[in-house]
Amino acid sequence: MDERTRLGTELSWSALGGDPALLDRVEYAGPPGLLPARLPVRDLARATVAVAGLAAIERAGLPGPVRVDEAAVATAFTSERHLRIDGRAPVNFAPLSRFWRSADGWVRTHANYPHHRAALLRALGLREESPEALGAAIGARTSIETETAVYAAGGLAVAVRTPEQWAAHEQGREVAARPLLTRERLDDAPPPPRTRPLRVLDLTRVIAGPVATRTLALLGADVLRIDPPDLPELPDQHADTGVGKRSTALDLRRPTDRRAFGELLSSADVLVTGYRPGALERHVPHRPGLVTARLSAWGDFGPWGGRRGFDSLVQAATGIAVVEGSAGEPGALPAQALDHGTGYLLAAAVLRALTEQDRDGGSRLLRLGLARTGHWLTHALPRSPDGEDTAGSPVDTAPHLVESDGPLGRVRHARPPVAYEGGPTGWSRPPGVAGADAPRWLGA
């Protein structure tokens, strides 16, 4: 293991409260350069997958080793690009989700979801979806004017900032002052009995949260994803991250669905949420013995604490897009690494919380944010002095992809990168139809 990789693994494992003696149980293999970037994306990817594996063997009481294969990690971090459903490639970004020139710089928008797309157009006074018209509207405004107007309308757009501008921004200062993740014990509830598979309620969307719960499903948890019926997940995204899980639809504004959710929550072991901070809390009363993991884009603090966000927007706002850009234009990381990396960190945090809970009891609260992972990438992990990370190598993805037949048809998806001696090599079920499962636990 090179020193940069060791440092990344040590830092993330320390943030999780892990025993440093376990660090020697990680084995790395594969060629470097599979996630080429100016920032140390490779080290973030390997470290976050490694700690998920360490947390898994710790919880299972296995000696390991944890095996981190470079090509498997690179394939998993770009899993949404490798998805095929009956041979069809996915649509990962809509035409209005991209960088746009503004009057004084650049803006990044996210309009994959219909309600966000409608809000974006409404904020800029546009009646029809037209890239040319949107480009003209943004080009007539400053970046901050577009950011402010679109967020006020319920849409998603951020001004592209330099690292220095983000460091001076109030939210940037708040993010910099916080740790990679926070872990809290909320009460003195006794250790819960473990007489059945773990039950995980998955109230997350897009990539980071679903990657975390996809990992927990790999390790044997009964994961039930819940989506609102009027705002379903994008089908391709659901297929990519839905392996190993079941899926149901509940509208928490309706009394009957709230009761069904309450019954699920009463016997859940883990609750993972990934909506805008404050959006779900009124529906989730404190329940002794529960491990709750809250994921957000910007953190649940500071002036942007209540804002929605996605990986691409966080890259744009925090200076990552400028660092990865060229010829005066912003760029992007070679993968949605903030999403995927935070997902594996979240899975590791949940596993570590359960291990500590088995020993010491107590309800647990975990908080993670994409912007905090971004700060870790840009400030805690050292960059290569010789530009190694920018030298890309082709990835042989074939050994790290698998096809299976299921309710969606013939699905090709990435194999899990979390691997260890005595551990699972794949998921127990293919992705299913969104919302098709009953709102109850297996065996209940």
Side-chain angles (χ1 to χ4, degrees):
M1 188 193 322
D2 62 49
E3 288 304 312
R4 290 169 53 205
T5 294
R6 175 175 287 278
L7 176 61
T9 306
E10 288 178 351
L11 289 172
S12 50
W13 190 238
S14 175
L16 292 163
D19 180 357
L22 295 179
L23 289 167
D24 291 333
R25 302 188 189 182
V26 183
E27 297 178 354
Y28 291 89
L34 301 185
L35 291 171
R38 295 190 177 95
L39 292 168
V41 176
R42 172 198 183 208
D43 299 301
L44 178 148
R46 297 204 300 178
T48 54
V49 170
V51 296
L54 285 175
I57 65 166
E58 178 190 39
R59 175 154 181 77
L62 295 173
V66 172
R67 299 190 179 98
V68 180
D69 181 278
E70 195 90 10
V73 171
T75 303
F77 263 61
T78 53
S79 63
E80 63 275 8
R81 301 178 197 169
H82 302 295
L83 177 74
R84 296 291 184 274
I85 301 176
D86 289 332
R88 179 184 61 79
V91 177
N92 289 316
F93 282 99
L96 301 189
S97 297
R98 47 169 276 200
F99 292 108
W100 307 85
R101 285 190 181 274
S102 68
D104 62 347
W106 293 87
V107 167
R108 176 81 196 211
T109 57
H110 195 289
N112 288 5
Y113 290 92
H115 59 298
H116 292 154
R117 184 162 57 250
L120 172 66
L121 297 175
R122 183 171 62 251
L124 299 178
L126 303 175
R127 294 184 178 181
E128 297 182 1
E129 180 178 340
S130 163
E132 293 76 18
L134 182 60
I138 293 176
R141 295 167 168 83
T142 68
S143 301
I144 298 299
E145 287 173 343
T146 296
E147 177 183 274
T148 302
V150 173
Y151 266 104
L156 291 155
V158 297
V160 174
R161 292 171 170 83
T162 65
E164 295 75 20
Q165 288 171 329
W166 178 248
H169 190 277
E170 187 176 352
Q171 189 66 27
R173 294 196 301 269
E174 289 275 1
V175 168
R178 311 285 175 132
L180 175 60
L181 56 94
T182 58
R183 304 157 54 245
E184 300 175 50
R185 177 174 176 152
L186 302 179
D187 57 32
D188 295 320
R194 305 289 190 199
T195 58
R196 49 165 173 73
L198 286 171
R199 293 173 172 176
V200 178
L201 279 178
D202 177 2
L203 276 72
T204 67
R205 293 173 73 81
V206 197
I207 295 177
V211 162
T213 53
R214 181 178 72 183
T215 304
L216 297 175
L218 170 74
L219 302 176
D222 178 13
V223 177
L224 182 61
R225 173 166 172 161
I226 299 175
D227 284 287
D230 58 336
L231 291 175
E233 181 60 279
L234 300 175
D236 289 343
Q237 225 143 241
H238 195 280
D240 176 49
T241 60
V243 285
K245 309 179 193 178
R246 296 179 300 121
S247 168
T248 194
L250 292 175
D251 185 346
L252 299 184
R253 296 167 298 186
R254 294 165 46 182
T256 55
D257 285 8
R258 283 200 304 273
R259 284 195 295 272
F261 175 74
E263 292 173 3
L264 290 167
L265 185 65
S266 67
S267 58
D269 300 293
V270 178
L271 171 67
V272 185
T273 66
Y275 287 77
R276 177 175 52 86
L280 293 174
E281 279 72 6
R282 68 184 184 277
H283 299 300
V284 186
H286 174 67
R287 207 215 74 199
L290 188 68
V291 172
T292 302
R294 293 180 185 167
L295 173 70
S296 61
W298 309 104
D300 53 358
F301 47 78
W304 285 15
R307 287 194 176 193
R308 301 173 180 86
F310 295 99
D311 181 308
S312 59
L313 300 181
V314 175
Q315 289 189 41
T318 61
I320 292 173
V322 171
V323 172
E324 296 294 337
S326 63
E329 297 189 4
L333 298 175
Q336 295 191 67
L338 306 184
D339 263 332
H340 286 273
T342 305
Y344 291 110
L345 275 176
L346 195 159
V350 167
L351 293 169
R352 289 241 59 252
L354 290 166
T355 298
E356 293 178 342
Q357 189 184 60
D358 286 347
R359 183 185 64 232
D360 302 326
S363 306
R364 309 287 170 143
L365 176 61
L366 313 167
R367 292 190 179 98
L368 299 89
L370 303 185
R372 293 159 91 174
T373 304
H375 183 79
W376 188 61
L377 171 66
T378 56
H379 289 77
L381 297 176
R383 302 187 196 182
S384 171
D386 57 6
E388 171 193 347
D389 289 338
T390 63
S393 302
V395 184
D396 182 9
T397 60
H400 310 292
L401 299 172
V402 62
E403 292 190 356
S404 59
D405 293 310
L408 300 180
R410 185 75 171 171
V411 177
R412 187 187 80 178
H413 59 81
R415 293 183 184 274
V418 176
Y420 53 91
E421 187 71 28
T425 59
W427 287 275
S428 62
R429 63 173 67 224
V433 176
D437 295 290
R440 61 172 178 265
W441 296 114
L442 291 176

